[in-house]
Amino acid sequence: MDALEAIRSRRSVARLVEPAPDEADLRAILEAAACAPDHGKLRPFRFTVVRGEHADTFGAVLEEAYRDRCRDQGIEVLPAKAAKERSKLGRAPLVVVVSAVRPAEDSTIPWTEQLAACAAACQNALLAATALGYGSMWRTGEPCYDDRVKAALALAPEDAVVAFLYLGTVPEGVRPRAGCEPDLDGLVREWRA
Ligand SMILES: Cc1cc2nc3c(=O)[nH]c(=O)nc-3n(C[C@H](O)[C@H](O)[C@H](O)COP(=O)(O)O)c2cc1C
């Protein structure tokens, strides 16, 4: 599959099944991610693979973090939401958490550019997964902004969780939406003095 075909055919699939990318394919996906444009070669991206029984343990972290957020905000814990937090990593057989680590204070490259590099890494990973025949989906949500979840990922509060990339195989009988038919109306201008 060439690059343009991967770009146009990539579609998010909400629930994915085994087989997950095998080790060789996972490596290819993560290498593609690490090829992202990266101002200053700071390599701000980190990739944390979560799968198997460890996804269940991480689900417990997500549920606990949700309960703590409710307590902090003085709001009621919703059992359905708690259960969703616990089970959400089960929506795919493998999840790559992409995070951005904040560099030293004196870095000349703005943090927003490092986040941009991480977003580019995410898209590279999704495209590589598509080219290798896997389904994928980029998700975020409140856990990304929760220091307790960051700590479980060995991140500092000032680091950022940019994506939970869900990877796996599109279930039989599920047909992802048709490829992207981009509408450029109103998006493109040609600058003139
Ligand atoms: C930074 C970012 C965060 C996202 N977070 C979520 C999310 O938490 N839940 C969700 O359903 N979609 C989320 N999306 C959108 C999906 O990944 C997807 O792009 C969207 O559903 C459109 O489908 P498509 O990728 O097939 O075009 C996010 C996208 C981006 C770029």
Side-chain angles (χ1 to χ4, degrees), residues 10-12 137-141 177:
R10 182 205 60 78
R11 286 276 72 120
S12 297
M137 183 155 179
W138 180 342
R139 295 182 188 265
T140 48
R177 288 184 300 122

Side-chain angles (χ1 to χ4, degrees), residues 21-104:
D22 62 23
E23 292 310 312
D25 287 345
L26 178 60
R27 189 173 177 89
I29 290 166
L30 297 179
E31 284 179 351
C35 285
D38 162 22
H39 194 176
K41 294 199 171 34
L42 293 175
R43 305 175 83 234
F45 16 72
R46 298 289 181 276
F47 309 108
T48 306
V49 177
V50 187
R51 56 185 151 177
E53 73 209 61
H54 305 288
D56 298 334
T57 316
F58 201 84
V61 169
L62 295 179
E63 180 183 352
E64 202 50 42
Y66 164 67
R67 291 179 182 279
D68 288 347
R69 285 198 300 279
C70 290
R71 201 178 39 240
D72 292 350
Q73 295 163 24
I75 58 175
E76 188 194 342
V77 171
L78 301 175
K81 175 87 174 117
K84 185 177 175 192
E85 289 300 314
R86 179 175 279 266
S87 63
K88 60 176 25 171
L89 291 191
R91 295 178 293 198
L94 189 153
V95 175
V96 177
V97 186
V98 181
S99 47
V101 290
R102 236 179 230 271

